[in-house]
Amino acid sequence: MNIILLGPPGAGKGTQAQRLVERHGLKQLSTGDMLRAAVKAGTPVGLQAKAVMEAGQLVSDEIVSALIGDELDAMGAGTGAIFDGYPRTAAQAESLDAILASRGRQLDHVIELEVNEDALVARITGRYTCATCGKGYHDTFEKPKVEGTCDKCGGHEFKRRPDDNEETVRTRMAEYRAKTAPILPIYEARGIVSRVDGMADMDAVTASIEAILA
Ligand SMILES: [Zn+2]
């Protein structure tokens, strides 16, 4: 089983990917992680990538394809892959098909965790934590029992993360749409795209994903 998992920041993609790894023995292939590991290990592809990056250039699709191929070979035929952050372009989608096909694999599912942008803004911008014990709260969904006092430790100071603001959330959503726009139609034409409500409870999201894979 080989899948692509898509979802904007805040949709819980990391948690769901982790659960897929645990439940199905899949391996998560993040191109950024693979690149760093190959450079560190000094593999032939890693050395090539290092030279390109040191020259201030972007790593080519050929290098990324070689990295993915190496990783799939190391995993063995019995282990499925979750692709994370790849492909981003039609050309990369085509390369991925070729990489998989040459190893007797195919892409089975593209699963997108969908979010409602306005609801996501409300969810993220409303959150804050106790400065003393770190307990999480939310302006709308989880207020302290006594206003201004932490339920857990009685502290009175709270803090918000600077990037939990509307502009950042909307920018990230726009970036996400721009990144996935080139590849979703390709997979939609093949009938392998499924969408799951990423705003639902985490366990409900997992159950929906399991139903798709079943
Ligand atoms: Zn506290």
Side-chain angles (χ1 to χ4, degrees):
M1 185 159 64
N2 301 285
I3 65 174
I4 295 175
L5 190 60
L6 300 171
K13 191 177 68 159
T15 303
Q16 298 303 331
Q18 188 54 42
R19 289 181 176 184
L20 283 166
V21 168
E22 283 161 12
R23 285 167 183 242
H24 297 279
L26 301 179
K27 181 142 197 247
Q28 193 174 359
L29 300 187
S30 148
T31 49
D33 291 347
M34 281 189 284
L35 200 54
R36 279 184 288 276
V39 169
K40 201 175 163 196
T43 64
V45 182
L47 292 175
Q48 222 183 324
K50 191 176 176 214
V52 170
M53 289 188 291
E54 279 173 355
Q57 291 168 328
L58 283 175
V59 175
S60 66
D61 282 358
E62 286 72 23
I63 291 178
V64 175
S65 297
L67 271 176
I68 292 171
D70 282 356
E71 195 68 39
L72 289 173
D73 292 339
M75 279 160 56
T79 306
I82 305 172
F83 293 95
D84 178 10
Y86 179 93
R88 294 278 198 231
T89 63
Q92 287 177 353
E94 210 173 293
S95 298
L96 181 59
D97 285 339
I99 296 164
L100 292 171
S102 68
R103 288 164 178 84
R105 290 172 181 257
Q106 63 169 20
L107 198 58
D108 301 295
H109 297 282
V110 175
I111 300 174
E112 182 175 41
L113 304 179
E114 277 192 307
V115 299
N116 174 302
E117 185 168 329
D118 291 329
L120 185 69
V121 167
R123 186 199 268 185
I124 291 178
T125 59
R127 62 190 184 188
Y128 62 97
T129 55
C130 169
T132 311
C133 73
K135 176 165 172 28
Y137 293 99
H138 193 281
D139 291 327
T140 310
F141 310 120
E142 198 182 358
K143 299 178 185 174
K145 289 185 184 70
V146 178
E147 202 189 324
T149 304
C150 176
D151 294 347
K152 196 173 159 192
C153 74
H156 297 294
E157 275 190 55
F158 299 89
K159 59 182 181 184
R160 288 174 193 266
R161 285 170 42 170
D163 55 350
D164 283 353
N165 65 69
E166 177 166 357
E167 197 193 339
T168 304
V169 176
R170 293 202 188 273
T171 301
R172 285 196 197 134
M173 280 298 298
E175 285 168 358
Y176 170 74
R177 291 206 178 93
K179 280 177 197 158
T180 53
I183 59 159
L184 274 171
I186 297 170
Y187 297 125
E188 262 158 11
R190 277 187 221 171
I192 59 170
V193 177
S194 303
R195 294 195 165 83
V196 168
D197 179 10
M199 301 302 286
D201 171 78
M202 275 196 288
D203 291 340
V205 175
T206 302
S208 301
I209 293 174
E210 290 299 317
I212 292 163
L213 301 182

